[in-house]
Amino acid sequence: MRKVITYGTYDLLHRGHVRLLERAKALGDYLVVGVTADGFDKVRGKINVSQTLNERMRAVQALGIADEVIVEEYEGQKIDDIRSMGIDVFTVGSDWAGKFDYLKEYCEVVYLDRTQGVSSTELREESGHLRMGYAGKSPLVEKYLRESAFVNGIEPACVMLDGDGAWPAPSQRGEVEQVDDLDDLLRRCDAVYLASRPDLHYKHIKRSLAAGKHVLCESPVAPTGAECEELQAMAREHGLVLADAIKTAYSTAYHRLLLLAKSGHIGRVLSVRAVCTSLADLGASGLGTVEGKWSSSQAWGPTALLPILQLLGCDYRSADFVRADLAGHQGFDAFGEIRVAYADGYGEAVFGKAAKSEGSLVVTGTDGYIYVPAPWWKTDYFEVRNEDPTQNRRYFFQLDGEGIRNELVEFARAAERGGDCGFFIGAGVTAAISDLLGRFSTGKGCIMLAPIERGISRHEDVERTTQSLS
Ligand code: CTP
């Protein structure tokens, strides 16, 4: 019996796939089809496959051409399959010509002519675009715009930049137009990404939802938990997506870490400590520089709270706040800690823009702990450590576009489904972030540390000295 094998994604099965499979079967007596697992597709750079692995496998099976359908999960698996299954012929379409010649060592390799005029990519594009408007702080808006280019299903429509944000020259910005007014932006799109100043989020979200637009907004979504819930109810009522744009939640390593911890790999989770700091230019050139800047809790609070709320839940007993404002800028926190107590656990979020610490994440369990080195919020790597070091495990996962790429894919999918946005960050977590940061921002009940003087930092001082010497 002559055994043939072929591999592919087989998303939105089309006549090109059917013709390929028919001709593959004709090369022998028994056909094995390998369908790529979702994770493996991501590693290969195919991030927005429309159908799940199950749907794609079922569609291939339903054709009745394949004798066996298997999952392709890892790099190099083709060699293992060919050897273990006694394969005589490996075949794929001519778009891969030459790429699999290395398999000639194990079996015959045949490239079949690709059917012209049809591809999964084209079908995905035809299934409709979400026209996206981007509003807010320039570096963030530009990052999201850049990452949108990798997501078919999202079509950048226009941009509105905060304050003095400079929009790139026409040659770099392609077709995307800049507008000055939110209503103008909303008229031109189906969905918005909001990175406006945090105190404007609530107002901007409300206007966007009222205009019938899906919203992806930087966290915190609202100034209080109650206002966040009000916006969530409004989104639900209109069948719209309101999603929290904390990119870390969408990084594969972070997501896998949550799954490991939740499935008991370190026993019961007792505590989560997440630290996020970045030294920012907050005053070297006087008062004006702080205006329009995001405070430490606005810039880092949501990310630092995320693993606490996702691992220990939103049903906390109490929260304590420690805070240090920037000298001369009362109300602008430059460092903070939020400690959240649960009946059975404890979380600590540390954040700063005028303080520096090790930006790691540690999840303590009764049987071991998870350690993510700095900067944990952009990680592609973590370790599960035990009392017995021989049991320690290290995990690596590719990180594309800091998580933003996956986030946009999920957002577009949720918009297509009509409003279900809880895949990575649940509505309860989003509301709890608004609640905790809202309470922190009032300063009520906070332990206030002496303000942080932030004239010329030592770093800047050294730079100035070097400049004046040269
Ligand atoms: N194929 C083909 N003719 C086409 C499209 C695909 O012969 N018009 C073949 C590919 O060469 C491969 C198999 O079908 O051997 C599975 O291809 P897959 O990558 O899943 O499909 P594409 O339509 O090429 O997908 P995409 O657009 O996402 O790259």
Side-chain angles (χ1 to χ4, degrees):
M1 188 169 64
R2 205 168 136 84
K3 278 184 145 183
V4 183
I5 197 161
T6 188
Y7 295 86
T9 307
Y10 299 101
D11 190 26
L12 307 172
L13 203 71
H14 54 68
R15 65 187 162 85
H17 295 143
V18 179
R19 281 197 66 233
L20 185 285
L21 294 175
E22 284 169 346
R23 287 172 294 154
K25 178 70 181 261
L27 292 171
D29 312 299
Y30 188 89
L31 177 65
V32 183
V33 179
V35 180
T36 45
D38 298 330
F40 186 52
D41 264 325
K42 281 201 181 128
V43 173
R44 300 188 317 144
K46 273 198 185 187
I47 55 154
N48 50 349
V49 172
S50 295
Q51 294 180 296
T52 63
L53 172 62
N54 269 340
E55 287 167 335
R56 291 180 287 118
M57 285 182 87
R58 271 205 300 271
V60 170
Q61 250 148 3
L63 288 175
I65 304 171
D67 297 285
E68 197 175 335
V69 180
I70 60 167
V71 182
E72 186 187 20
E73 289 175 286
Y74 59 90
E75 205 72 59
Q77 183 183 326
K78 292 183 180 75
I79 298 175
D80 275 352
D81 290 343
I82 291 167
R83 281 171 156 172
S84 66
M85 299 171 93
I87 298 292
D88 303 288
V89 185
F90 166 89
T91 187
V92 271
S94 52
D95 42 324
W96 295 98
K99 288 263 165 51
F100 294 104
D101 285 356
Y102 70 92
L103 294 173
K104 285 182 179 164
E105 195 182 327
Y106 310 97
C107 67
E108 194 184 324
V109 174
V110 177
Y111 298 104
L112 294 167
D113 280 346
R114 185 179 163 90
T115 305
Q116 295 308 307
V118 61
S119 74
S120 304
T121 306
E122 280 164 21
L123 291 175
R124 282 193 292 265
E125 279 172 4
E126 278 166 19
S127 73
H129 283 291
L130 197 62
R131 285 176 309 141
M132 189 95 174
Y134 305 76
K137 204 160 90 154
S138 66
L140 274 173
V141 162
E142 277 157 40
K143 259 190 200 174
Y144 273 74
L145 200 53
R146 220 172 22 247
E147 289 304 318
S148 299
F150 294 93
V151 182
N152 54 29
I154 287 192
E155 182 193 316
C158 54
V159 159
M160 184 181 96
L161 290 181
D162 258 4
D164 55 1
W167 189 226
S171 58
Q172 291 166 33
R173 71 181 187 216
E175 296 302 308
V176 186
E177 261 184 86
Q178 186 174 10
V179 296
D180 301 323
D181 172 60
L182 187 65
D183 289 325
D184 201 3
L185 181 107
L186 293 172
R187 266 194 297 277
R188 293 162 190 246
C189 61
D190 313 308
V192 279
Y193 163 66
L194 296 176
S196 37
R197 266 192 4 241
D199 54 312
L200 297 174
H201 288 173
Y202 174 78
K203 197 170 93 184
H204 283 174
I205 293 173
K206 217 167 177 178
R207 274 168 70 186
S208 306
L209 293 175
K213 312 298 169 184
H214 300 288
V215 179
L216 176 64
C217 183
E218 285 299 327
S219 206
V221 158
T224 64
E227 279 159 306
C228 178
E229 281 165 7
E230 176 202 327
L231 293 174
Q232 288 170 336
M234 187 172 168
R236 267 195 306 276
E237 233 168 73
H238 291 76
L240 293 167
V241 180
L242 170 55
D244 204 322
I246 306 178
K247 57 188 190 301
T248 304
Y250 300 87
S251 95
T252 311
Y254 174 79
H255 184 61
R256 293 295 173 90
L257 172 162
L258 287 190
L259 297 179
L260 270 184
K262 286 188 185 239
S263 41
H265 270 63
I266 53 168
R268 198 185 106 200
V269 174
L270 286 174
S271 91
V272 179
R273 182 180 155 83
V275 183
C276 302
T277 64
S278 58
L279 281 182
D281 172 17
L282 288 179
S285 16
L287 269 172
T289 56
V290 176
E291 303 302 321
K293 292 244 162 82
W294 293 22
S295 72
S296 70
S297 63
Q298 292 172 332
W300 285 119
T303 306
L305 287 169
L306 184 75
I308 297 170
L309 297 165
Q310 288 192 311
L311 284 168
L312 293 168
C314 301
D315 196 12
Y316 38 85
R317 272 187 171 172
S318 63
D320 291 312
F321 306 96
V322 178
R323 164 172 169 166
D325 285 0
L326 197 65
H329 296 272
Q330 208 190 357
F332 185 97
D333 62 272
F335 171 78
E337 288 197 20
I338 298 183
R339 300 171 189 161
V340 195
Y342 295 79
D344 54 357
Y346 181 74
E348 202 175 1
V350 179
F351 40 87
K353 282 187 91 171
K356 193 69 196 157
S357 186
E358 164 78 6
S360 58
L361 168 68
V362 179
V363 183
T364 306
T366 49
D367 296 342
Y369 69 99
I370 297 176
Y371 170 70
V372 193
W376 73 265
W377 54 92
K378 272 194 208 172
T379 194
D380 55 1
Y381 164 76
F382 64 90
E383 291 183 30
V384 175
R385 295 179 176 173
N386 292 276
E387 192 65 34
D388 170 6
T390 64
Q391 296 300 311
N392 290 357
R393 293 283 176 271
R394 294 166 176 212
Y395 296 84
F396 294 88
F397 298 93
Q398 192 164 311
L399 175 72
D400 289 312
E402 296 178 31
I404 296 172
R405 217 171 286 178
N406 285 348
E407 177 180 331
L408 289 169
V409 170
E410 287 307 324
F411 178 67
R413 277 193 188 142
E416 204 183 348
R417 283 195 303 264
D420 172 13
C421 64
F423 189 59
F424 283 104
I425 305 177
V429 170
T430 299
I433 290 174
S434 293
D435 173 49
L436 289 167
L437 289 173
R439 286 159 62 190
F440 177 89
S441 74
T442 64
K444 273 192 217 138
C446 278
I447 298 173
M448 295 298 287
L449 307 179
I452 299 176
E453 295 289 343
R454 198 93 181 113
I456 298 171
S457 75
R458 275 185 50 195
H459 169 70
E460 288 152 348
D461 206 10
V462 171
E463 264 185 8
R464 281 188 184 204
T465 316
T466 322
Q467 274 167 11
S468 65
L469 285 175
S470 59

